[in-house]
Amino acid sequence: MAKSTKLIALSVIIFAVAASSIGTSAARSQSEFTLAGEWIVTSKPIDGQMASPNGISLGFPDRDMIFERDGDLRTGVVLREDVGQNVHPLGVWRIDGDQFSTTFQLWCPNANGPCGSIVMRGQFLEENKIKGTMTAFFNLRDDRTPTGYDTWTFSFVGNRVGGGPN
Amino acid sequence: MPPLRRSLKSLASILAAVVLLLTLATPGLAGNEFKGRWTLRITVPEAPNSTIERTFFVTLDVSPRGESLHGRANVTDEAGKTVGAAWRQVGKELSVAYELPCQVGAPCASLILQGRVKGGGILIKKGTVIVMWDTKNDRNPSLYDTSNGTFRGDRIEE
């Protein structure tokens, strides 16, 4: 075999092995993202919107969130000891690559006040860091929104402080 | 006392006891407490901005919430896939939130179901569903596409 042919064949093999390795590595890192663990999530308004159009706000406290996974059951809880010892709003989550979604119920001790649910949508910036938006759907009618419910969205950043894949 | 009259009196006593038992049993049901196993019939658009609707059934196994304001539930779809849900109830007002199991190639979403538990805790009629899809939409206040749907719930086991 000519020297140039050998060189080309070797280059093709090296390229194929490298491409295969990169693909496997990317696929592995995508599938390894998990919310399981404890996160401190900080939030801030988007475009200065401190409350919903109907004036309801959740404030912007740091949220201590714990996510767990048991097979297909993915659960979450927010530890709001700053509000009360037994204040533990519950939620669920799912993940697709580096994108995730979680849904929580709001904790509403006042039966006469408005309540609602939260949907968090976000992505992993790295294994232990996430960012995204939280949307509150309050059970207050508002015909100006597509769903017909008072809706407020703000942004968040989260850092894992415990647990996780490692 | 003639035998017939005595029999009627006994029957009246038995009926009174039955009524009393039913009355005593009623408060637990009259609370419309969300518990047990439910079948939900959910109708939502099949995709963001679609006018075509799809209807599917899920089974909800509701865990007791104890003293908490919130509870958990397991949602099992017709394919047998089970995911978690979180619920709260204030009076008759119920909210159940869960993440749809995503199917390859189909749009995925989060669901928030709201309704009133009626009939002594066995029925949810004319419930509403907020669907928040995974597709981004800067013109929507949630920054994602949303839709509305409906649901009905029937308790099948206490």
Side-chain angles (χ1 to χ4, degrees):
Chain A
M1 193 182 287
K3 214 171 190 179
S4 59
T5 310
K6 277 185 182 172
L7 192 62
I8 290 170
L10 190 62
S11 300
V12 167
I13 291 168
I14 290 170
F15 178 78
V17 169
S20 160
S21 169
I22 289 167
T24 308
S25 168
R28 187 167 54 236
S29 66
Q30 289 247 323
S31 65
E32 281 177 358
F33 286 122
T34 178
L35 278 180
E38 182 174 3
W39 298 78
I40 299 297
V41 175
T42 57
S43 55
K44 62 179 184 181
I46 297 174
D47 296 333
Q49 292 179 315
M50 304 295 288
S52 76
N54 286 279
I56 306 172
S57 180
L58 304 175
F60 299 94
D62 286 356
R63 292 175 173 86
D64 188 355
M65 308 182 80
I66 296 176
F67 294 97
E68 293 180 338
R69 179 176 181 188
D70 180 8
D72 285 337
L73 294 178
R74 298 177 178 87
T75 57
V77 60
V78 187
L79 306 179
R80 292 300 307 273
E81 267 79 13
D82 54 315
V83 178
Q85 196 176 5
N86 297 315
V87 178
H88 296 151
L90 301 181
V92 292
W93 58 282
R94 66 182 155 88
I95 196 160
D96 180 17
D98 65 346
Q99 309 284 314
F100 66 87
S101 177
T102 85
T103 308
F104 278 84
Q105 297 287 2
L106 288 177
W107 191 269
C108 309
N110 178 9
N112 298 318
C115 200
S117 307
I118 294 280
V119 179
M120 294 170 68
R121 287 289 164 78
Q123 67 180 108
F124 282 81
L125 299 176
E126 53 190 71
E127 190 174 272
N128 296 315
K129 193 175 183 68
I130 53 175
K131 74 162 189 179
T133 56
M134 289 194 201
T135 298
F137 294 98
F138 296 110
N139 58 0
L140 201 62
R141 299 299 303 181
D142 186 340
D143 293 336
R144 297 168 292 182
T145 66
T147 60
Y149 291 96
D150 191 26
T151 304
W152 176 44
T153 301
F154 49 98
S155 65
F156 72 84
V157 172
N159 290 288
R160 196 196 310 264
V161 294
N166 297 324
Chain B
M1 188 182 289
L4 179 61
R5 197 166 173 183
R6 200 162 47 230
S7 297
L8 285 173
K9 198 173 179 181
S10 299
L11 185 62
S13 301
I14 290 167
L15 281 173
V18 169
V19 169
L20 181 64
L21 279 173
L22 287 174
T23 307
L24 289 173
T26 301
L29 297 175
N32 292 302
E33 187 184 352
F34 188 54
K35 62 180 182 179
R37 171 174 280 194
W38 290 69
T39 294
L40 304 186
R41 180 184 191 272
I42 300 172
T43 301
V44 295
E46 65 174 12
N49 305 311
S50 173
T51 55
I52 302 171
E53 293 186 326
R54 73 175 178 116
T55 296
F56 58 97
F57 292 84
V58 296
T59 303
L60 206 65
D61 288 293
V62 182
S63 301
R65 63 176 172 175
E67 298 298 315
S68 175
L69 294 181
H70 292 179
R72 294 201 181 281
N74 288 348
V75 184
T76 305
D77 67 13
E78 290 158 294
K81 176 100 172 167
T82 300
V83 296
W87 63 274
R88 68 179 151 75
Q89 184 182 19
V90 178
K92 290 181 180 177
E93 302 292 338
L94 172 75
S95 175
V96 179
Y98 80 100
E99 299 286 343
L100 275 181
C102 302
Q103 296 166 344
V104 177
C108 205
S110 310
L111 298 189
I112 300 166
L113 289 71
Q114 299 177 106
R116 292 169 69 87
V117 183
K118 294 182 175 178
I122 62 165
L123 181 67
I124 303 166
K125 284 201 298 187
K126 296 179 182 173
T128 61
V129 182
I130 297 173
V131 185
M132 185 163 155
W133 301 97
D134 283 0
T135 48
K136 292 187 177 182
N137 181 350
D138 288 344
R139 289 176 295 174
N140 190 300
S142 70
L143 301 181
Y144 287 83
D145 282 320
T146 55
S147 303
N148 288 92
T150 58
F151 82 100
R152 176 194 164 97
D154 293 277
R155 195 173 73 191
I156 52 177
E157 275 179 35
E158 192 167 349

